Amino acid sequence: MRDVLTEWRPVVDDAIETLLPRDIDEAYLVEWFGPASHRYDPDAIQRALSDPIWDLLDRGGKRWRAVVCLLLLDGFGADPRAYLPYACIPEVLHNGTIIVDDVEDGAEIRRGEPALHHRFGPDIALNAGNAMYFLPLKVIGKNPADLDPETQLATYEMLMDELNRTHLGQGMDIYWHRNRDATVAEAEYLEMCACKTGCLGRIVARLAAIITDQPPEVEREVAAYAEDMSIAFQIGDDILDVESTIEGTTEFGKAFGNDIREGKRTLMVIHALSAADPVAADRLSSILHKPENTREEITEAIGILQSTDSIEYARECALSFSQSAREHLRDVPLDEERADQLASFTEFVIERDV
Amino acid sequence: MRDVLTEWRPVVDDAIETLLPRDIDEAYLVEWFGPASHRYDPDAIQRALSDPIWDLLDRGGKRWRAVVCLLLLDGFGADPRAYLPYACIPEVLHNGTIIVDDVEDGAEIRRGEPALHHRFGPDIALNAGNAMYFLPLKVIGKNPADLDPETQLATYEMLMDELNRTHLGQGMDIYWHRNRDATVAEAEYLEMCACKTGCLGRIVARLAAIITDQPPEVEREVAAYAEDMSIAFQIGDDILDVESTIEGTTEFGKAFGNDIREGKRTLMVIHALSAADPVAADRLSSILHKPENTREEITEAIGILQSTDSIEYARECALSFSQSAREHLRDVPLDEERADQLASFTEFVIERDV
């Protein structure tokens, strides 16, 4: 799996560079955005968009969303290189949401360096993040794979569906961790993941299906694969946040006890709040909703999660979504080698930060 | 003009309510966003999206973007009521950009009340603002006017064009006011307006043209009308900021000397920097780029703008764009009464805060 990612990453980055070059000039702006009415300032656009966006992209990320899209395309029997700009769409969208989420969450660190709004200021960061919501969508109109109008239209509609639901998911997540009184059921947490994280995954899969003209049931199944894998990934990500705090490792690239500081309602928290005795549950809730936490409080909160076996519960849940994701691939007509790789991805995503 | 706005405002608000009800329930979520994979939390979405968005919408705004769209539709001989949901698109987009811009600018006040991020927190505000970038675009897929697929596709492409350029404009604007060393030519300032403010205007006009199947030259001319009117509006808005500061009026709904505090490179500033003697120009530049300004500094900066007749210069420029906007309407085949109203709008927008 790692080999596939390593092989494709530079190819994906080259493709992203055609959407947004590292060096912005007048010719690119005219070609990509149309002629100016008066006069563009390429230097300003360089510093307001290209510099911060590449600063983030160059920090890492395995580009797995693009790679899964390419593997699906290949698995469907298409030449993935012919569709490279499309595979960049979810990747650029994803990195855009990272910038915006970090502003929303007041995050300090991203991929081991200062969050983009700390390095470039919140205004530059936010505008760059939001630009990434629209920049890659220009690919559809540019139409490098010469898709017919019905397919272009289906692509836009799919993107509008999923990008809308992304904001529902983010809204639920934010509202919950700002409001101590909000009660969150497990099904609501899973919906939040399905929307917030899953929709980007669904874009990956539906894009590959739509642009190669797969039948609706194939699009549905690969979307379900990607959604369930994304839920597994999100739960895995939450577990990793807690475990890296327990182990005192910093490589994960986030602050100590990040999710607890933020008061996030993770699956572990939801489980612990209902499984712990009332006193411990109340204490956990208190710690989550304090504006600031000491290291002792974070350790105490994690102790409560451990006492209710909530980390283990979440891990089993992630594994079950990972298995469900694989099952959705079962009836999809895919090249066997690619099907195996796509199946093995469902394990990969819950094992490490990608 | 005021009558038309007064007449249409409640109709537009009713139409916006069909896109985003004041009271969110499961049925709306399923109908608008599709069935949940697990379970939506309507209460969280109510509080994270509907409440903040309607809080802003209910503060005012004349909905002129929707009304201009409806007047154009009517002028083209279409029944505007049949296209109401489309006319809401630029209006909702515009209000979304307001929320995001206020976070980016660190604005305190909006329409006379605390900026949304102060009332609801930056995370809720930002997510709601970003949701407004996608929510109205669902109208195209819902297709209430039964547009043919080519028209739907053309609508999406137009929106992607314009929403991309919006972020170029915002990027230029932000970069300039954060970097004292950036030199800004008048043509670049006008491009910034054409992108940042003009693109939303262009959406208003192109939407009306595309969904009623007007020929390309009509779409081009009404887009140019809207763009030039928006530039006039932006310059007028900047003038209003300075004048309300001079007059000490607070009704404008912004803080004293807002644009100067932000260090905005307005047309007045660009003009004054080149027209003033070097000592005064340097002083103006210093004041603009200080992190905080005293009232005396703001008064001094405005004094420099006055000494170079820069406010008058900007007013003449706004009038000239307003006239250019009217000229673009001249050859467009429009119902005469509507053509007159649309022309009179070009004067209206530079006279007051809409």
Side-chain angles (χ1 to χ4, degrees):
Chain A
M1 202 62 261
R2 205 170 307 277
D3 291 350
V4 185
L5 289 167
T6 310
E7 176 195 339
W8 278 105
R9 193 181 187 283
V11 181
V12 170
D13 280 12
D14 282 352
I16 297 177
E17 274 197 67
T18 65
L19 312 192
L20 182 71
R22 289 172 185 276
D23 297 307
I24 301 288
D25 59 20
E26 182 82 15
Y28 158 74
L29 293 172
V30 171
E31 201 266 326
W32 196 258
F33 301 104
S37 298
H38 299 274
R39 192 203 305 162
Y40 288 127
D41 180 351
D43 183 52
I45 294 166
Q46 171 78 43
R47 310 250 231 134
L49 293 181
S50 184
D51 286 355
I53 292 171
W54 280 105
D55 182 282
L56 177 67
L57 291 171
D58 285 336
R59 293 181 191 188
K62 305 225 172 16
R63 315 285 188 256
W64 71 260
R65 290 167 187 82
V67 173
V68 167
C69 187
L70 294 167
L71 291 179
L72 279 166
L73 288 162
D74 200 14
F76 290 141
D79 173 9
R81 287 184 185 260
Y83 295 96
L84 260 173
Y86 298 90
C88 297
I89 294 174
E91 200 57 63
V92 176
L93 288 172
H94 163 67
N95 280 281
T97 65
I98 278 184
I99 299 175
V100 176
D101 287 6
D102 280 352
V103 176
E104 289 175 359
D105 298 344
E108 295 293 327
I109 300 170
R110 172 59 67 177
R111 292 175 185 158
E113 297 183 34
L116 227 62
H117 58 281
H118 283 297
R119 181 165 288 173
F120 292 88
D123 46 3
I124 293 277
L126 267 181
N127 186 62
N130 279 173
M132 293 165 90
Y133 291 177
F134 295 105
L135 186 73
L137 274 52
K138 289 280 284 186
V139 167
I140 305 160
K142 295 284 176 196
N143 206 13
D146 200 21
L147 305 177
D148 59 38
E150 291 73 24
T151 308
Q152 289 176 284
L153 183 57
T155 309
Y156 278 125
E157 298 213 335
M158 175 277 284
L159 285 161
M160 292 307 119
D161 284 353
E162 302 299 348
L163 290 171
N164 264 289
R165 286 185 68 213
T166 305
H167 290 88
L168 297 187
Q170 180 73 352
M172 289 194 271
D173 196 21
I174 295 170
Y175 173 70
W176 294 337
H177 72 68
R178 286 176 64 89
N179 289 276
R180 186 174 170 168
D181 297 341
T183 55
V184 183
E186 191 173 306
E188 291 168 334
Y189 169 82
L190 295 174
E191 184 63 27
M192 182 277 288
C193 295
C195 289
K196 179 179 151 163
T197 317
C199 285
L200 268 165
R202 292 171 60 88
I203 289 173
V204 167
R206 294 182 69 189
L207 200 51
I210 291 171
I211 63 183
T212 57
D213 207 19
Q214 304 299 317
E217 63 274 17
V218 168
E219 182 184 337
R220 207 166 45 235
E221 289 300 308
V222 292
Y225 153 77
E227 178 177 315
D228 284 352
M229 178 163 73
S230 301
I231 295 174
F233 170 71
Q234 182 64 58
I235 299 172
D237 201 50
D238 295 344
I239 294 172
L240 209 56
D241 185 275
V242 168
E243 290 194 329
S244 67
T245 299
I246 293 171
E247 290 159 16
T249 50
T250 53
E251 299 114 283
F252 185 49
K254 282 189 184 173
F256 181 85
N258 188 66
D259 288 352
I260 290 171
R261 283 180 204 278
E262 281 183 22
K264 265 179 79 173
R265 303 289 189 105
T266 62
L267 187 60
M268 294 168 283
V269 165
I270 292 166
H271 179 262
L273 287 175
S274 80
D277 66 76
V279 174
D282 191 62
R283 178 68 185 144
L284 176 58
S285 187
S286 283
I287 293 172
L288 288 169
H289 290 91
K290 283 178 105 163
E292 296 292 334
N293 292 128
T294 62
R295 289 178 81 90
E296 290 67 32
E297 284 169 339
I298 288 167
T299 307
E300 186 184 352
I302 291 176
I304 297 170
L305 301 183
Q306 288 174 313
S307 74
T308 49
D309 289 328
S310 299
I311 302 171
E312 201 40 51
Y313 176 80
R315 195 188 322 276
E316 276 162 31
C317 187
L319 287 169
S320 137
F321 273 96
S322 165
Q323 184 183 338
S324 162
R326 287 192 293 282
E327 284 164 10
H328 282 294
L329 280 188
R330 216 168 30 197
D331 297 327
V332 176
L334 283 165
D335 163 274
E336 199 175 333
E337 189 193 341
R338 292 309 182 203
D340 287 349
Q341 285 174 320
L342 289 162
S344 74
F345 241 99
T346 63
E347 289 153 26
F348 183 80
V349 291
I350 54 174
E351 280 163 14
R352 48 194 50 258
D353 173 32
V354 284
Chain B
M1 201 65 261
R2 205 171 308 277
D3 291 351
V4 184
L5 289 166
T6 310
E7 176 196 338
W8 278 105
R9 193 182 187 285
V11 180
V12 170
D13 280 11
D14 282 352
I16 297 176
E17 274 198 68
T18 65
L19 312 191
L20 182 72
R22 289 172 186 274
D23 297 307
I24 301 288
D25 60 20
E26 182 82 16
Y28 158 73
L29 294 171
V30 171
E31 200 268 325
W32 196 259
F33 301 103
S37 298
H38 299 274
R39 192 203 305 164
Y40 288 126
D41 181 352
D43 183 53
I45 294 166
Q46 170 80 43
R47 310 249 232 135
L49 292 181
S50 184
D51 286 354
I53 292 171
W54 280 104
D55 182 283
L56 177 67
L57 291 172
D58 285 336
R59 293 181 191 187
K62 306 226 171 13
R63 314 288 187 254
W64 70 259
R65 289 166 187 81
V67 174
V68 167
C69 187
L70 294 167
L71 291 179
L72 279 166
L73 288 162
D74 199 13
F76 289 142
D79 172 10
R81 288 186 184 260
Y83 296 96
L84 260 173
Y86 298 90
C88 298
I89 294 175
E91 199 57 62
V92 176
L93 288 172
H94 163 68
N95 280 281
T97 65
I98 279 184
I99 299 174
V100 176
D101 286 5
D102 280 351
V103 176
E104 289 175 359
D105 298 343
E108 296 293 327
I109 301 171
R110 171 60 67 178
R111 294 176 185 157
E113 298 183 34
L116 226 62
H117 57 282
H118 283 297
R119 182 165 288 172
F120 292 88
D123 47 3
I124 292 278
L126 266 180
N127 187 61
N130 278 175
M132 292 164 91
Y133 291 178
F134 295 105
L135 185 73
L137 274 52
K138 288 281 284 187
V139 167
I140 305 161
K142 295 284 175 194
N143 206 14
D146 200 20
L147 305 177
D148 60 38
E150 291 74 24
T151 307
Q152 290 177 284
L153 183 58
T155 308
Y156 279 126
E157 298 213 336
M158 177 276 286
L159 284 161
M160 293 306 120
D161 284 353
E162 302 299 348
L163 290 170
N164 265 289
R165 288 186 68 214
T166 305
H167 290 88
L168 297 187
Q170 179 73 350
M172 289 195 271
D173 195 23
I174 295 170
Y175 173 70
W176 294 337
H177 74 69
R178 287 176 64 88
N179 290 276
R180 184 173 171 168
D181 296 341
T183 54
V184 184
E186 191 174 307
E188 291 167 335
Y189 168 83
L190 296 174
E191 185 64 26
M192 182 278 287
C193 294
C195 288
K196 180 180 151 165
T197 316
C199 285
L200 268 165
R202 292 171 60 88
I203 289 172
V204 168
R206 294 182 69 188
L207 200 52
I210 290 171
I211 64 184
T212 56
D213 208 18
Q214 304 300 317
E217 63 276 16
V218 168
E219 183 184 337
R220 208 165 45 234
E221 289 301 307
V222 293
Y225 152 78
E227 179 176 313
D228 284 352
M229 179 164 73
S230 303
I231 295 175
F233 170 70
Q234 182 63 59
I235 299 172
D237 201 49
D238 294 345
I239 294 172
L240 209 57
D241 186 274
V242 168
E243 289 194 330
S244 67
T245 300
I246 294 171
E247 290 159 16
T249 49
T250 54
E251 298 113 280
F252 185 51
K254 282 189 182 173
F256 181 84
N258 188 65
D259 288 351
I260 291 171
R261 283 181 205 278
E262 281 183 21
K264 263 179 81 174
R265 302 289 189 106
T266 62
L267 188 59
M268 294 168 282
V269 165
I270 293 166
H271 179 262
L273 287 175
S274 80
D277 66 77
V279 174
D282 191 62
R283 178 66 186 145
L284 176 59
S285 185
S286 283
I287 294 172
L288 288 170
H289 290 89
K290 284 179 102 164
E292 297 292 336
N293 290 127
T294 61
R295 287 178 80 91
E296 290 68 31
E297 285 168 340
I298 287 168
T299 305
E300 186 185 351
I302 290 176
I304 297 171
L305 300 184
Q306 288 173 314
S307 74
T308 49
D309 289 329
S310 299
I311 302 170
E312 201 41 48
Y313 176 81
R315 195 187 323 274
E316 276 162 31
C317 187
L319 287 170
S320 137
F321 272 96
S322 165
Q323 184 184 338
S324 162
R326 288 191 293 279
E327 282 164 11
H328 282 293
L329 280 188
R330 215 167 30 197
D331 298 326
V332 176
L334 284 165
D335 164 273
E336 199 175 335
E337 189 193 340
R338 293 310 182 202
D340 286 348
Q341 285 173 319
L342 289 162
S344 74
F345 241 98
T346 63
E347 288 152 28
F348 183 79
V349 292
I350 54 173
E351 279 162 16
R352 48 195 50 259
D353 173 34
V354 285

Coordinates of all heavy atoms in Angstrom, one line a residue, chain A residues 301-344:
Chain A
A301 N -9.2 12.7 32.1 CA -10.2 12.4 31.1 C -9.9 11.1 30.4 O -10.8 10.3 30.2 CB -10.4 13.6 30.1
I302 N -8.6 11.0 30.0 CA -8.2 9.8 29.3 C -8.4 8.6 30.2 O -8.8 7.5 29.8 CB -6.8 9.9 28.7 CG1 -6.8 10.9 27.5 CG2 -6.3 8.6 28.2 CD1 -5.5 11.3 27.0
G303 N -8.1 8.7 31.5 CA -8.3 7.7 32.5 C -9.7 7.2 32.5 O -10.0 6.0 32.6
I304 N -10.6 8.1 32.4 CA -12.1 7.8 32.4 C -12.4 7.0 31.1 O -13.1 5.9 31.2 CB -13.0 9.0 32.5 CG1 -12.7 9.7 33.9 CG2 -14.5 8.6 32.4 CD1 -13.4 11.1 34.1
L305 N -11.9 7.4 30.0 CA -12.1 6.7 28.7 C -11.5 5.2 28.8 O -12.1 4.3 28.3 CB -11.4 7.4 27.5 CG -11.8 8.8 27.2 CD1 -11.1 9.3 25.9 CD2 -13.3 8.9 27.0
Q306 N -10.4 5.1 29.5 CA -9.8 3.8 29.7 C -10.6 2.9 30.6 O -10.8 1.7 30.4 CB -8.3 3.9 30.2 CG -7.4 4.5 29.1 CD -6.0 4.8 29.6 OE1 -5.9 5.4 30.7 NE2 -5.0 4.4 28.9
S307 N -11.1 3.6 31.7 CA -11.9 2.8 32.7 C -13.1 2.2 32.1 O -13.6 1.2 32.6 CB -12.2 3.7 33.9 OG -13.3 4.6 33.6
T308 N -13.7 2.8 31.1 CA -14.9 2.3 30.5 C -14.6 1.4 29.2 O -15.5 1.1 28.5 CB -15.8 3.4 30.1 OG1 -15.1 4.4 29.4 CG2 -16.5 4.1 31.3
D309 N -13.3 1.2 29.0 CA -12.9 0.4 27.8 C -13.4 1.1 26.5 O -13.7 0.5 25.5 CB -13.5 -1.0 27.8 CG -12.7 -1.9 28.8 OD1 -11.5 -1.6 29.0 OD2 -13.4 -2.8 29.4
S310 N -13.5 2.4 26.6 CA -14.1 3.2 25.4 C -13.1 3.2 24.2 O -13.6 3.3 23.1 CB -14.5 4.6 25.9 OG -15.5 4.5 26.9
I311 N -11.8 3.2 24.5 CA -10.9 3.2 23.4 C -11.0 1.9 22.6 O -11.1 1.9 21.4 CB -9.4 3.4 23.9 CG1 -9.4 4.8 24.7 CG2 -8.5 3.5 22.7 CD1 -8.0 5.0 25.4
E312 N -11.1 0.8 23.4 CA -11.3 -0.5 22.8 C -12.6 -0.6 22.0 O -12.7 -1.1 20.9 CB -11.2 -1.6 23.8 CG -10.8 -3.0 23.3 CD -9.7 -2.9 22.2 OE1 -8.7 -2.3 22.4 OE2 -10.0 -3.5 21.2
Y313 N -13.6 -0.1 22.6 CA -14.9 -0.1 22.0 C -14.9 0.7 20.6 O -15.4 0.2 19.6 CB -16.0 0.6 22.9 CG -17.3 0.8 22.2 CD1 -18.2 -0.3 22.2 CD2 -17.7 2.0 21.6 CE1 -19.5 -0.2 21.6 CE2 -19.0 2.1 21.0 CZ -19.8 1.0 21.0 OH -21.0 1.1 20.4
A314 N -14.2 1.8 20.6 CA -14.1 2.6 19.4 C -13.3 1.9 18.3 O -13.6 1.9 17.2 CB -13.5 4.0 19.7
R315 N -12.2 1.2 18.8 CA -11.4 0.4 17.9 C -12.2 -0.7 17.2 O -12.1 -0.9 16.0 CB -10.2 -0.1 18.6 CG -9.1 -0.6 17.6 CD -7.9 -1.3 18.3 NE -7.5 -0.8 19.6 CZ -6.7 0.2 19.7 NH1 -6.2 0.8 18.7 NH2 -6.4 0.6 21.0
E316 N -13.0 -1.3 18.0 CA -13.8 -2.4 17.4 C -14.8 -1.8 16.4 O -15.1 -2.4 15.3 CB -14.6 -3.2 18.5 CG -13.7 -4.3 19.0 CD -14.2 -4.8 20.4 OE1 -15.4 -4.8 20.6 OE2 -13.3 -5.2 21.2
C317 N -15.4 -0.7 16.7 CA -16.3 0.0 15.8 C -15.6 0.4 14.5 O -16.2 0.2 13.4 CB -16.9 1.2 16.5 SG -18.2 2.0 15.6
A318 N -14.4 0.9 14.6 CA -13.6 1.3 13.4 C -13.4 0.0 12.6 O -13.5 0.1 11.3 CB -12.3 1.9 13.8
L319 N -13.0 -1.1 13.2 CA -12.7 -2.3 12.5 C -14.0 -2.8 11.8 O -13.9 -3.3 10.7 CB -12.2 -3.4 13.4 CG -10.8 -3.2 13.9 CD1 -10.4 -4.1 15.0 CD2 -9.8 -3.3 12.8
S320 N -15.1 -2.6 12.4 CA -16.4 -3.1 11.8 C -16.7 -2.2 10.6 O -17.2 -2.7 9.6 CB -17.4 -3.1 12.9 OG -18.6 -2.6 12.4
F321 N -16.5 -0.9 10.7 CA -16.7 -0.1 9.5 C -15.7 -0.4 8.4 O -16.0 -0.3 7.2 CB -16.7 1.4 9.8 CG -18.0 1.9 10.3 CD1 -18.4 2.0 11.6 CD2 -19.0 2.3 9.3 CE1 -19.6 2.4 12.0 CE2 -20.3 2.7 9.7 CZ -20.6 2.8 11.1
S322 N -14.5 -0.7 8.8 CA -13.5 -1.0 7.8 C -13.9 -2.3 7.1 O -13.8 -2.4 5.8 CB -12.2 -1.2 8.6 OG -11.2 -1.9 7.9
Q323 N -14.5 -3.3 7.8 CA -14.9 -4.5 7.2 C -16.1 -4.3 6.3 O -16.2 -4.8 5.2 CB -15.3 -5.5 8.3 CG -15.7 -6.9 7.7 CD -16.1 -7.9 8.8 OE1 -15.8 -7.7 10.0 NE2 -16.9 -8.9 8.4
S324 N -17.1 -3.4 6.8 CA -18.2 -3.1 6.0 C -17.8 -2.4 4.7 O -18.4 -2.7 3.6 CB -19.1 -2.2 6.8 OG -20.0 -1.5 6.0
A325 N -16.8 -1.6 4.8 CA -16.3 -0.9 3.5 C -15.8 -2.0 2.5 O -16.2 -1.9 1.3 CB -15.1 0.0 3.9
R326 N -15.1 -3.0 3.0 CA -14.6 -4.0 2.1 C -15.7 -4.8 1.5 O -15.7 -5.1 0.3 CB -13.7 -5.0 2.8 CG -12.3 -4.4 3.2 CD -11.3 -5.5 3.7 NE -11.6 -6.0 4.9 CZ -11.4 -5.4 6.1 NH1 -10.9 -4.2 6.2 NH2 -11.8 -6.1 7.3
E327 N -16.8 -5.0 2.3 CA -17.9 -5.8 1.8 C -18.6 -5.0 0.6 O -19.1 -5.6 -0.3 CB -18.9 -6.1 2.9 CG -18.4 -7.2 3.7 CD -19.1 -7.4 5.1 OE1 -20.1 -6.7 5.3 OE2 -18.6 -8.2 5.9
H328 N -18.6 -3.7 0.7 CA -19.2 -2.9 -0.4 C -18.5 -3.1 -1.7 O -19.1 -2.8 -2.7 CB -19.3 -1.4 0.0 CG -20.5 -1.1 1.0 ND1 -21.8 -1.3 0.6 CD2 -20.4 -0.7 2.3 CE1 -22.5 -0.9 1.6 NE2 -21.8 -0.6 2.7
L329 N -17.2 -3.4 -1.6 CA -16.5 -3.6 -2.8 C -16.7 -4.9 -3.5 O -16.4 -5.1 -4.7 CB -15.0 -3.5 -2.5 CG -14.3 -2.1 -2.4 CD1 -12.8 -2.3 -2.3 CD2 -14.7 -1.2 -3.5
R330 N -17.3 -5.9 -2.7 CA -17.4 -7.2 -3.2 C -18.0 -7.4 -4.5 O -17.6 -8.2 -5.4 CB -18.1 -8.1 -2.1 CG -17.5 -9.5 -2.0 CD -18.1 -10.2 -0.7 NE -19.4 -9.7 -0.4 CZ -20.0 -9.9 0.8 NH1 -19.3 -10.5 1.8 NH2 -21.2 -9.5 1.1
D331 N -19.1 -6.7 -4.8 CA -19.9 -7.0 -6.0 C -19.5 -5.9 -7.1 O -20.2 -5.9 -8.1 CB -21.4 -6.9 -5.7 CG -21.8 -8.1 -4.8 OD1 -21.1 -9.1 -4.9 OD2 -22.7 -7.9 -4.0
V332 N -18.5 -5.1 -6.8 CA -18.1 -4.1 -7.8 C -17.1 -4.8 -8.8 O -16.2 -5.4 -8.4 CB -17.5 -2.9 -7.1 CG1 -17.0 -1.9 -8.2 CG2 -18.4 -2.3 -6.2
P333 N -17.4 -4.7 -10.1 CA -16.5 -5.3 -11.1 C -15.2 -4.5 -11.2 O -15.2 -3.4 -11.9 CB -17.3 -5.2 -12.4 CG -18.3 -4.1 -12.2 CD -18.5 -3.9 -10.8
L334 N -14.2 -4.9 -10.5 CA -12.9 -4.2 -10.5 C -11.8 -5.2 -10.9 O -11.9 -6.4 -10.5 CB -12.6 -3.7 -9.1 CG -13.4 -2.5 -8.6 CD1 -13.2 -2.3 -7.1 CD2 -12.8 -1.2 -9.3
D335 N -10.8 -4.7 -11.5 CA -9.6 -5.5 -11.7 C -9.1 -6.0 -10.3 O -9.1 -5.3 -9.3 CB -8.5 -4.5 -12.3 CG -7.1 -5.0 -12.2 OD1 -6.5 -4.7 -11.1 OD2 -6.7 -5.5 -13.2
E336 N -8.7 -7.3 -10.3 CA -8.5 -8.0 -9.0 C -7.4 -7.4 -8.2 O -7.5 -7.1 -7.0 CB -8.1 -9.5 -9.3 CG -8.3 -10.3 -8.0 CD -8.1 -11.8 -8.3 OE1 -8.3 -12.2 -9.5 OE2 -7.7 -12.6 -7.4
E337 N -6.3 -7.0 -8.8 CA -5.1 -6.4 -8.1 C -5.6 -5.1 -7.4 O -5.3 -4.8 -6.3 CB -4.0 -6.2 -9.0 CG -2.7 -5.8 -8.3 CD -1.6 -5.2 -9.2 OE1 -1.7 -5.5 -10.4 OE2 -0.7 -4.5 -8.7
R338 N -6.3 -4.3 -8.2 CA -6.7 -3.0 -7.7 C -7.8 -3.2 -6.6 O -7.8 -2.5 -5.5 CB -7.4 -2.2 -8.8 CG -6.4 -1.7 -9.8 CD -5.2 -1.0 -9.2 NE -4.2 -0.5 -10.2 CZ -3.0 -0.3 -9.9 NH1 -2.5 -0.6 -8.7 NH2 -2.2 0.2 -10.8
A339 N -8.6 -4.2 -6.7 CA -9.6 -4.5 -5.7 C -8.9 -4.9 -4.4 O -9.3 -4.4 -3.3 CB -10.6 -5.6 -6.1
D340 N -7.9 -5.7 -4.5 CA -7.1 -6.0 -3.3 C -6.5 -4.8 -2.6 O -6.5 -4.6 -1.4 CB -6.0 -7.0 -3.6 CG -6.6 -8.4 -3.9 OD1 -7.8 -8.6 -3.6 OD2 -5.8 -9.2 -4.5
Q341 N -5.9 -3.9 -3.5 CA -5.3 -2.7 -2.9 C -6.3 -1.8 -2.2 O -6.1 -1.3 -1.2 CB -4.6 -1.9 -4.0 CG -3.3 -2.6 -4.5 CD -2.7 -1.9 -5.7 OE1 -3.4 -1.5 -6.6 NE2 -1.4 -1.7 -5.7
L342 N -7.5 -1.7 -2.9 CA -8.5 -0.8 -2.3 C -9.0 -1.4 -1.0 O -9.3 -0.7 -0.1 CB -9.7 -0.7 -3.3 CG -9.3 0.2 -4.5 CD1 -10.3 0.0 -5.7 CD2 -9.3 1.7 -4.1
A343 N -9.1 -2.8 -1.0 CA -9.5 -3.4 0.3 C -8.5 -3.2 1.4 O -8.8 -2.9 2.5 CB -9.8 -4.9 0.0
S344 N -7.2 -3.3 1.0 CA -6.2 -3.2 2.0 C -6.1 -1.7 2.5 O -5.7 -1.5 3.7 CB -4.8 -3.6 1.5 OG -4.3 -2.7 0.6

